Amino acid sequence: MSATLIDGKAFAATIRAKVAEHVRHLRDEHGLTPGLAVVLVGEDPASQVYVRNKGTQTEEAGMASFEHRLPVETAQEELLALIARLNAAPAVHGILVQLPLPGHIDAAEVLNAIDPAKDVDGFHISNVGLLATGQKAMVPCTPLGCLMMLRDHLGDLSGLDAVVVGRSNIVGKPMAHLLLRDSATVTIAHSRTRDLAAVCRRADILVAAVGRPQMIPGDWVKPGATVIDVGINRIPAPERGEGKTRLVGDVDFDSAVQVAGAITPVPGGVGPMTIACLLANTVTACCRAHGLAEPEGLTA
Ligand code: NDP
């Protein structure tokens, strides 16, 4: 048996199209343009690529993009002052501070300085609490993207056994809360979990968010399970030439695809959904800020 591929690239394109449609509606009916401010401190090359992609896709969706690039030596107070200005700016509906921040910056203090209503990354402690208590929150983009793919593929998730491997604040924990909210029976596994193989084999839904290349082999996957591979790991690929690398997930795709019912590839699975969900969250934030109906299918 070979699993169905869940095509995150194509699905993300449909999400972006829905976002663009709602942006047109907001402009034509309400004279509003959702705006996303992205703050980058320092010159981390990967972060620069992410920020550039975010800006491009924001504009392609018809929204306003505000980029703030600050030098690596920026002081905490300066960054907090910028956040305060963005919190007060009516044209800005979403604020994202690109992580990681330089070591001298207290990331938690910065993230918690963002107005929770503009916190499109969903990392503010208020949004974390709202999500954990099943209330309306801004939901972190990567787990939101995973949830959208699961709902699209499986429909109703209630009663399904879901195992999330990884308990980080940005992926594992919010993913588990979202699955719980959709009435799945959720297990969170981590580095201290005993007999991880047996835990994974119980899963109708297996979400891997670990950061270890190909650590979950096919024989840990329950036949027919839906596998969402969040991991992005770069490994050497000598078959492509000297010094070449390639991206792989946390799941050993070649063996898992033989067993699973459906699986996300890496690249082209969860990855493209993250920015699409960032755009979706920005539209949602704009609607909430103006007391307007939220777009359907773009929130948790
Ligand atoms: P973290 O490093 O913050 O968390 C990793 C988690 O994996 C921890 O909870 C850790 O457990 C657990 N873990 C580590 N080793 C093992 C093991 N041997 N067995 C079981 N669990 C283990 O990572 P993130 O959550 O930030 O990211 C996870 C992966 O997802 C990365 O590859 C990252 O690149 C990718 N990612 C992809 C995104 C996208 O697609 N857009 C966005 C964000 C992340 P413990 O807590 O016990 O240490």
Side-chain angles (χ1 to χ4, degrees), residues 36 85-96 114-121 127 138 285 289:
L36 173 65
R85 288 201 299 282
L86 296 173
N87 283 343
V92 174
H93 301 95
I95 302 169
L96 179 144
I114 297 172
D115 177 350
K118 297 189 178 189
D119 170 37
V120 283
D121 246 348
N127 282 314
M138 293 306 300

Side-chain angles (χ1 to χ4, degrees), residues 92-198:
V92 174
H93 301 95
I95 302 169
L96 179 144
V97 176
Q98 184 66 45
L99 300 176
L101 287 165
H104 66 280
I105 303 256
D106 178 346
E109 189 185 5
V110 170
L111 296 178
N112 287 325
I114 297 172
D115 177 350
K118 297 189 178 189
D119 170 37
V120 283
D121 246 348
F123 296 158
H124 190 288
I125 195 73
S126 299
N127 282 314
V128 175
L130 288 168
L131 176 61
T133 51
Q135 300 178 69
K136 193 186 262 193
M138 293 306 300
V139 176
C141 303
T142 300
L144 177 58
C146 296
L147 182 77
M148 285 182 181
M149 291 197 287
L150 284 167
R151 282 179 177 168
D152 183 65
H153 184 70
L154 292 169
D156 184 8
L157 308 185
S158 73
L160 295 178
D161 277 318
V163 172
V164 179
V165 189
R167 58 174 162 178
S168 72
N169 291 332
I170 62 167
V171 189
K173 283 185 197 136
M175 186 73 245
H177 284 304
L178 287 171
L179 288 163
L180 198 54
R181 207 151 87 164
D182 271 22
S183 298
T185 303
V186 183
T187 302
I188 307 179
H190 45 77
S191 66
R192 308 292 177 89
T193 297
R194 279 183 285 172
D195 200 354
L196 184 59

